[in-house]
Amino acid sequence: MTSNPKTREWQTMSREHHLAPFSDYKQLAEVGPRIITTAEGVYLWDSEGNKILDGMAGLWCMAVGYGRKELADAAYKQMQELPFYNTFFMTAHPPVLELAKTIAEIAPPGMNHVFFTGSGSEGNDTMLRLVRHYWALKGQPNKKVIISRVNGYHGSTVAGASLGGMKFMHEQGDLPIPGIVHIPQPYWFGEGGDMSPDEFGVWAADQLEQKILEVGEDNVGAFIAEPIQGAGGVIIPPDSYWPRIREILAKYDILFVADEVICGFGRTGEWFGSDYYGLQPDMMTIAKGLTSGYVPMGGLVVSDKVFEVIQAGGDFNHGFTYSGHPVAAAVALENIRILREEKIVERVKTDTAPYFQQRLRELAEHPLVGEVRGVGLLGAIELVKNKATRERYPSEAGAGMICRGHCFNNGLIMRAVGDTMIIAPPLVISKAEVDELVDKARKCLDLTAEALRD
């Protein structure tokens, strides 16, 4: 129901003209989208005047919070000086060069080169091409296959969706494309069976070695993985997983790509998820928190080891009109300055994230909750029918979507991945706002349990 005539007008525009991402257009036309009109800090307001706590930081990207005038000013100043020029044909501009240097300063050691894109999806397309180019230059052109994980998410372009391991995406468009294979995910709660978390973590990691041997080391170019799977349901690997993966990667001659689109720029309490887990990637995909979502920008951070090979190899015939767009670069520079000078990443690590994780885990006592897990300002709540056995509700019950609906109607955005509720608030969330988030989440869990009983 709407009370604002403008809401109905905008919903009509949506129905008649707008094709939204990841949407059922028939359902969207019947119900109409919620129209978000303004935002400040960690809050949104819709066209009906409802105030909503954004527990998903937009789409994982709103690091420094809504309404930061400094970012708008940086964009305005750059638009006046140089609104656009490309970085093709042996040209560059100060913002993109300064940004590349700044990212190298905060990236893991030995990662000093950045290829800029318009999104994380484009960053992963770039990765696929660069991996194959790298091995061809080294005289091993057969090393084309990229190993990824089931239920990982690496974007929705043809290459990005293929790299990701989401079946519902592969079913549309005859994906994945050739040269991409998948191994099981380290999702203990959903798939660990009778194994302990550590046993399952080792088993899941060993699937990488099995796949390398199956495909043949001489045919495998790279392994790509998110440090923590985000869109797949905030899948946090058991403690045994990444140490075993590191051992396997050290054993074979393949590249490791960390998809840092969600984990990067402070989400885990470290600058990158690779820092949190002590990983040593050859490439890192970045986006989202790079600009706090204020303007679109992504990229691929490349290690010195890889750069030395491609530098000696002549042209890399790849790029985008907006690679290193000066306005996006200026906003990213200002965003990173804010993160650094206000010590937001440090505050997440030592203050807000520990409090967030402590409060979130109180929800584990709820009769509907089978597990609560999290790292930094990432969290997941598993909805179950039976806490002891981890039994789920039947899929037709739609427990996750019921909960999401109650969240929307009670001033909180949480996302449902199946029957897993996921949370990733802006990095600037305060302890009082964490309290509000958890209180609202508890209320919505109560309403969901009541609806499922009915």
Side-chain angles (χ1 to χ4, degrees):
M1 299 295 293
T2 61
S3 59
N4 181 357
K6 286 295 292 183
T7 301
R8 291 190 289 275
E9 181 181 339
W10 284 319
Q11 288 177 338
T12 299
M13 292 178 191
S14 168
R15 184 170 60 252
E16 295 181 353
H17 305 292
H18 184 224
L19 293 176
F22 284 92
S23 294
D24 178 330
Y25 297 127
K26 183 175 184 293
Q27 180 188 52
L28 189 61
E30 291 170 352
V31 178
R34 189 171 198 168
I35 309 298
I36 303 300
T37 54
T38 57
E40 183 70 26
V42 302
Y43 295 100
L44 307 165
W45 283 264
D46 68 17
S47 56
E48 297 296 298
N50 297 304
K51 183 181 180 181
I52 311 149
L53 198 163
D54 184 4
M56 280 305 302
L59 271 178
W60 320 85
C61 53
M62 185 51 60
V64 301
Y66 296 98
R68 295 299 299 243
K69 186 174 182 295
E70 306 98 307
L71 299 184
D73 288 345
Y76 177 65
K77 181 173 182 289
Q78 186 59 48
M79 283 184 177
Q80 289 182 310
E81 292 178 0
L82 180 69
F84 172 76
Y85 199 71
N86 68 78
T87 54
F88 287 44
F89 315 124
M90 298 186 70
T91 58
H93 45 72
V96 76
L97 301 176
E98 292 170 13
L99 179 59
K101 177 178 181 292
T102 298
I103 291 172
E105 290 170 357
I106 60 175
M111 304 201 74
N112 292 300
H113 311 274
V114 190
F115 188 105
F116 289 104
T117 67
S119 67
S121 295
E122 289 179 3
N124 280 322
D125 283 35
T126 301
M127 177 279 299
L128 186 147
R129 293 203 60 199
L130 193 60
V131 164
R132 293 176 175 177
H133 181 56
Y134 169 85
W135 287 115
L137 290 173
K138 286 177 69 70
Q140 297 174 277
N142 289 335
K143 288 176 76 69
K144 289 183 170 71
V145 175
I146 313 291
I147 300 174
S148 185
R149 298 189 298 200
V150 171
N151 203 37
Y153 186 80
H154 301 293
S156 61
T157 54
V158 170
S162 295
L163 289 163
M166 295 188 166
K167 185 179 178 183
F168 73 96
M169 295 179 71
H170 291 172
E171 289 171 346
Q172 296 179 338
D174 196 23
L175 301 177
I177 58 175
I180 296 171
V181 297
H182 299 85
I183 61 173
Q185 60 181 334
Y187 181 22
W188 175 80
F189 185 85
E191 300 173 5
D194 294 330
M195 283 186 271
S196 70
D198 280 345
E199 288 170 342
F200 181 71
V202 171
W203 176 87
D206 282 344
Q207 304 311 299
L208 173 60
E209 183 167 40
Q210 289 188 26
K211 186 61 72 173
I212 293 169
L213 295 174
E214 175 190 324
V215 175
E217 182 182 355
D218 292 342
N219 297 315
V220 177
F223 170 56
I224 182 172
E226 304 157 85
I228 294 169
Q229 287 164 248
V234 184
I235 307 301
I236 298 168
D239 292 343
S240 59
Y241 181 77
W242 280 118
R244 177 64 183 136
I245 288 286
R246 286 199 302 268
E247 291 175 6
I248 294 167
L249 290 171
K251 186 175 177 181
Y252 295 98
D253 190 20
I254 63 173
L255 299 173
F256 172 50
V257 183
D259 186 325
E260 294 274 4
V261 171
I262 286 173
C263 291
F265 300 97
R267 178 61 57 185
T268 66
E270 302 287 350
W271 275 99
F272 295 95
S274 295
D275 298 321
Y276 182 86
Y277 285 110
L279 308 177
Q280 296 177 315
D282 297 293
M283 302 181 196
M284 296 192 317
T285 321
I286 57 173
K288 296 191 184 294
L290 172 60
T291 64
S292 283
Y294 276 64
V295 291
M297 193 176 214
L300 184 69
V301 188
V302 177
S303 68
D304 298 343
K305 163 189 160 181
V306 172
F307 175 73
E308 287 167 6
V309 173
I310 62 173
Q311 183 184 38
D315 285 0
F316 178 45
N317 299 313
H318 176 78
F320 307 96
T321 300
Y322 301 121
S323 291
H325 192 289
V327 176
V331 172
L333 276 166
E334 182 63 13
N335 179 65
I336 294 172
R337 183 197 67 77
I338 291 170
L339 288 169
R340 281 172 137 179
E341 293 190 5
E342 296 184 9
K343 298 190 181 303
I344 291 172
V345 179
E346 292 87 344
R347 191 161 75 244
V348 168
K349 180 177 182 177
T350 62
D351 189 31
T352 48
Y355 187 73
F356 172 74
Q357 296 298 335
Q358 173 196 328
R359 289 298 325 273
L360 198 64
R361 278 165 172 73
E362 294 172 13
L363 299 175
E365 301 169 3
H366 195 280
L368 192 59
V369 175
E371 180 183 66
V372 176
R373 59 178 177 269
V375 165
L377 287 177
L378 283 164
I381 303 168
E382 297 279 7
L383 307 184
V384 295
K385 187 175 183 180
N386 187 311
K387 291 169 74 80
T389 65
R390 309 201 296 265
E391 178 191 357
R392 301 282 194 180
Y393 282 90
S395 58
E396 58 269 21
M401 294 303 288
I402 291 171
C403 188
R404 190 187 78 162
H406 284 303
C407 290
F408 254 60
N409 293 329
N410 287 275
L412 174 64
I413 292 178
M414 279 201 299
R415 185 170 165 182
V417 177
D419 288 348
T420 307
M421 306 307 298
I422 59 177
I423 313 167
L427 302 189
V428 294
I429 193 169
S430 68
K431 289 183 176 178
E433 290 160 347
V434 168
D435 291 338
E436 179 186 347
L437 186 157
V438 173
D439 289 346
K440 287 182 172 179
R442 187 184 298 279
K443 176 182 179 181
C444 295
L445 289 169
D446 289 341
L447 292 169
T448 302
E450 182 179 339
L452 288 167
R453 282 195 299 271
D454 293 342

